[in-house]
Every structure is written in structure tokens, then in C-alpha cells.
Amino acid sequence: MNRNPGLYFVTICTKDRQHHFGEIRDGIMGLSVPGCVAWHYWRQIPNHQPNVVLDEFVVMPNHLHGIVGITPDHVDHARVGICHGMSPQNGMSPQKEDHTTDQQNQVQFGKPQSQSLSMIINHYKGSLTWCNANGHEYFAWQSRFYDHIIRNEKALHRIRKYILNNPLRWQIDRENPNSNEIHEQAVEYMAANL
């Protein structure tokens, strides 16, 4: 399935949702070394992918949420997509006006597409191999990621708010092993700012 340039809400989890990136206390995320590396390399994505603009993001103990914008200025519209490691074009290249195909532009089944969200995320995840080479050999990502197309301004604002409030909501997050320990300060903050 091809997707045009646009905004995507992305969630990337650590393998087995292990808490590698730090911990949250009183609604504030304290980053570990792998968490700092995850934060730093996320911010570097536009330096390596000219078709990407980043919006809100947050590094959590066992996952990262972010808004990724794929811009039309640097994009081959026929090839941008979410391929999750597979080509949606079934190995067929577009026909030219003379009904021949260009073998050089042929997309093979299973070959990730350049400038796709999948490739952007795969490159990001690969940049965190720094952790494995620098004393954090236990660190690993979940093999896939979650994405959602942001279709309008209302959804964009709702998702931005969700990302910004995610550390405060951690106490009730089902992935948090201490989910029954709700901090009074977080509850008061959420009540005052809803």
C-alpha cells in the first residue's frame, strides 16, 4: 500500500518492552544512557533524511512516540510508503508511454523502498547499535513498529497532546509494571490541565 507524503504517528518499542531508556518519577522522564542515545539519534533523522520533518516526540522507558512528517519536496511519489520490509508493487515497474518497463526502476518484492517510513525507522533503529558496542549489549528493538496516518489538524493536536502528556500518564500505562502506583502530583497536574 503506497502512501503519499504526510504526517505519521509512530511508536517504536524495545524488545519484550524492556525498560532500557530510563524511568519516570513524578511524571518526569529521566533518561538512561541508551535513552539519551535514542533521544539524540531521533533528533538527527532530518540530517540524514532530507524528506523528513520531525514534530513532537517523547522517549519513554520502553518505547518512543513521535510524529514524522514526510515532505513532498524530496520525494519520489511512486515510492514513498509503509512497506514493513516488503514492496507493495509486486515487482512491477511502471509502464512507460511506449508500454515498456524500465528494468532499472523495477521494485522487487521484499525490497524496502527508499524514503519510505519503514526505511526511515529502520535507519533510526540501526543507529542505536551504538548501545550494543558501548556496554549496553542487552539493548534490542522490537522487530516492527506501529504507525498511524494523521489525517487532519484535530487529530494532529490530539496526538501532540497525547505525546506531551505520556510521561504523566505512565502510572496508568498498561506496559508499566507499577501501573497501580499513581502519583498524586501527576493526577493533580492532569486534572488541572485537561
Side-chain angles (χ1 to χ4, degrees), residues 7-59:
L7 293 174
Y8 301 90
F9 175 46
V10 175
T11 300
I12 311 169
C13 298
T14 59
K15 185 176 181 184
D16 300 324
R17 291 186 170 77
Q18 293 293 308
H19 291 204
H20 294 297
F21 295 146
E23 63 181 59
I24 294 177
R25 291 188 182 172
D26 297 326
I28 298 171
M29 179 64 189
L31 296 173
S32 63
V33 171
C36 289
V37 173
W39 184 92
H40 171 76
Y41 281 113
W42 183 262
R43 303 240 335 157
Q44 296 299 311
I45 291 173
N47 295 336
H48 303 282
Q49 302 284 340
N51 64 312
V52 172
V53 176
L54 299 178
D55 200 288
E56 294 294 340
F57 77 99
V58 65
V59 177

Side-chain angles (χ1 to χ4, degrees), residues 31-95:
L31 296 173
S32 63
V33 171
C36 289
V37 173
W39 184 92
H40 171 76
Y41 281 113
W42 183 262
R43 303 240 335 157
Q44 296 299 311
I45 291 173
N47 295 336
H48 303 282
Q49 302 284 340
N51 64 312
V52 172
V53 176
L54 299 178
D55 200 288
E56 294 294 340
F57 77 99
V58 65
V59 177
M60 298 293 288
N62 61 1
H63 65 280
L64 177 145
H65 290 300
I67 297 173
V68 177
I70 299 179
T71 63
D73 298 332
H74 299 92
V75 176
D76 175 356
H77 292 283
R79 296 186 182 273
V80 170
I82 308 295
C83 62
H84 295 286
M86 293 183 226
S87 167
Q89 297 181 4
N90 297 325
M92 298 299 295
S93 62
Q95 286 191 344

Side-chain angles (χ1 to χ4, degrees), residues 131-148:
C131 293
N132 300 118
N134 289 281
H136 302 279
E137 53 280 340
Y138 53 86
F139 173 77
W141 289 110
Q142 180 175 299
S143 61
R144 298 186 185 252
F145 67 94
Y146 304 96
D147 68 287
H148 174 78

Side-chain angles (χ1 to χ4, degrees), residues 165 168-169 185-194:
N165 289 330
L168 293 170
R169 295 183 43 82
Q185 289 178 334
V187 172
E188 290 172 0
Y189 180 87
M190 290 296 288
N193 291 291
L194 288 178

